[in-house]
Amino acid sequence: MIKEQLRRQRIETPSWAYGNSGTRFKVFAQRGVPRDPYEKIADAAQVHAFTGVAPTVALHIPWDKVDDYEDLARHAAELGVGIGAINSNVFQDDDYKLGSVTHPDPEVRAKALAHLLECVDIMDATGSDTLKLWFSDGTNYPGQDDVRERQDRLAEALAAVYERLGDEQRFLLEYKLFEPAFYMTDVPDWGTAYAHCLKLGPKAQVVVDTGHHAPGTNIEFIVAFLLREGKLGGFDFNSRFYADDDLMVGAADPFQLFRIMYEVIRGGGYTERTAFMLDQCHNIEPKIAGQIRSVMNVQEATAKALLVDREALAAAQRAGDVLGANAVLMDAYNTDVRPLLAELREEMGLEPDPMAAYAKSGYFETIAAERVGGDQAGWGA
Ligand code: RM4
Ligand code: MN
């Protein structure tokens, strides 16, 4: 039963995880990094080949701009994967210095909206049903712009995007506490995202990026609340120690990931309607292996969450048995699920240890030798 649920898990990897990345101090180039979206998809296909649960890859526009999106989708299908969420990018143009859809100048707002609508065109061409909206919009200084008017501008843009969505399409609105704006972000928290989505209707949902909260935030509470309201569209998984570190999911706080997955399962969110996406960068570790490890970390947290004896937990909760209830949860968390997952992989016709199997495959050596010349992909390419 648990294995069956784990078998149908779907985790989406991001195209940008395969390109070079770094901090504002330095981007370290790695060997074998893709030069174009086609090569990024080839790398994503490896993650799926070794884990069996990562069948889609998210695109970021314009980083993954191509002439023919249908051809890109065909290429993905040939490699055994599909195109997942389309991520919009209205944060890397000089025009967006003071914001994109909330910019004080209507011309800049129109430009940003046109990009968002272009992303829906790309969804039509690739067959993607999910648009992810993240805005870097905000202000750095008190008084810099009118906080309330910026909300009006945001609402107007979101309504226009919502209108343009097809029947089977949706958008996920992402929130982030701070950065790159430091005084105020226009979508700083789940409440703001939720309020905008609620007003628009069922095709607007909230996406929880685990790295976008203040330290100590109870993310699983947010997950439980949004699920109860039918407004949890999905996750951008990653880990944070300090800010938006974008480290591997489950690396900084595997217990938190377990608690999140428990609420997902408890709240009926363990379905294909919840997008389980990774939003990570591998600045110093190898990228494909980093993605494989991340997928495994999500699988492990999910397996533990599925192991929670819900009946025993409910009984303890009803009886007011504080320690007993806590013990039921901790028993599941403290179970070593690696043998179970190894068994599942073998049943799926995969190698039991994806990390070792990938290392043995020689794929990295092949791409490192083949991908010489050209421009390596990274943020902005
Ligand atoms: C943002 C946000 C978005 C992601 C970009 C790369 O901080 O998390 O989801 O698309 O980074
Ligand atoms: Mn994100």
Side-chain angles (χ1 to χ4, degrees), residues 14 16 59-60 63 87-89 91-92 132-136 174-176 178-180 207 209-212 236 238 244 246 277-281 379:
W16 54 101
L59 300 186
H60 217 295
W63 299 340
N87 287 252
S88 56
N89 180 330
F91 51 88
Q92 283 189 311
K132 175 133 56 76
L133 301 172
W134 175 68
F135 300 105
S136 63
E174 185 168 351
Y175 58 91
K176 184 176 177 183
F178 86 108
E179 198 202 18
V207 54
D209 184 313
T210 47
H212 288 189
D236 266 3
N238 51 51
D244 188 23
D246 282 339
M277 303 173 285
L278 306 181
D279 177 11
Q280 299 181 178
C281 295
W379 282 32

Side-chain angles (χ1 to χ4, degrees), residues 97-298:
K97 188 168 77 175
L98 301 180
S100 64
V101 293
T102 65
H103 198 285
D105 179 348
E107 267 183 44
V108 177
R109 296 205 293 275
K111 171 176 166 166
L113 177 59
H115 170 75
L116 302 183
L117 299 178
E118 180 199 346
C119 287
V120 186
D121 294 340
I122 294 170
M123 291 165 72
D124 292 340
T126 55
S128 164
D129 61 5
T130 301
L131 172 66
K132 175 133 56 76
L133 301 172
W134 175 68
F135 300 105
S136 63
D137 296 45
T139 57
N140 273 5
Y141 295 99
Q144 181 190 317
D145 196 6
D146 190 88
V147 171
R148 173 147 171 185
E149 244 180 63
R150 291 176 74 93
Q151 285 300 312
D152 296 339
R153 298 170 199 153
L154 171 67
E156 196 180 310
L158 292 176
V161 177
Y162 193 89
E163 264 315 291
R164 166 67 184 81
L165 292 173
D167 291 343
E168 303 302 318
Q169 296 173 333
R170 62 175 173 170
F171 76 60
L172 307 185
L173 181 56
E174 185 168 351
Y175 58 91
K176 184 176 177 183
L177 177 65
F178 86 108
E179 198 202 18
F182 292 128
Y183 165 61
M184 178 216 74
T185 297
D186 288 306
V187 191
D189 52 27
W190 70 268
T192 308
Y194 173 73
H196 280 284
C197 290
L198 190 63
K199 214 167 235 173
L200 290 167
K203 290 190 280 181
Q205 292 182 302
V206 180
V207 54
V208 174
D209 184 313
T210 47
H212 288 189
H213 305 84
T217 299
N218 184 333
I219 300 176
E220 62 270 25
F221 172 83
I222 299 170
V223 168
F225 185 94
L226 289 175
L227 267 172
R228 184 171 180 274
E229 301 298 329
K231 281 294 182 195
L232 181 76
F235 292 93
D236 266 3
F237 279 134
N238 51 51
S239 280
R240 74 187 289 282
F241 284 101
Y242 300 103
D244 188 23
D245 306 343
D246 282 339
L247 298 174
M248 293 189 297
V249 58
D253 190 348
F255 184 41
Q256 178 190 62
L257 183 59
F258 160 79
R259 299 190 314 259
I260 289 172
M261 287 312 300
Y262 172 70
E263 290 303 336
V264 166
I265 292 160
R266 158 69 185 85
Y270 191 61
T271 72
E272 66 282 359
R273 287 301 290 165
T274 310
F276 298 95
M277 303 173 285
L278 306 181
D279 177 11
Q280 299 181 178
C281 295
H282 304 291
N283 299 346
I284 58 168
E285 66 276 25
K287 296 162 195 307
I288 299 171
Q291 287 288 292
I292 292 175
R293 169 57 72 204
S294 305
V295 168
M296 292 171 70
N297 287 352
V298 177

Side-chain angles (χ1 to χ4, degrees), residues 69 152 216 355:
Y69 288 99
D152 296 339
M355 293 295 285

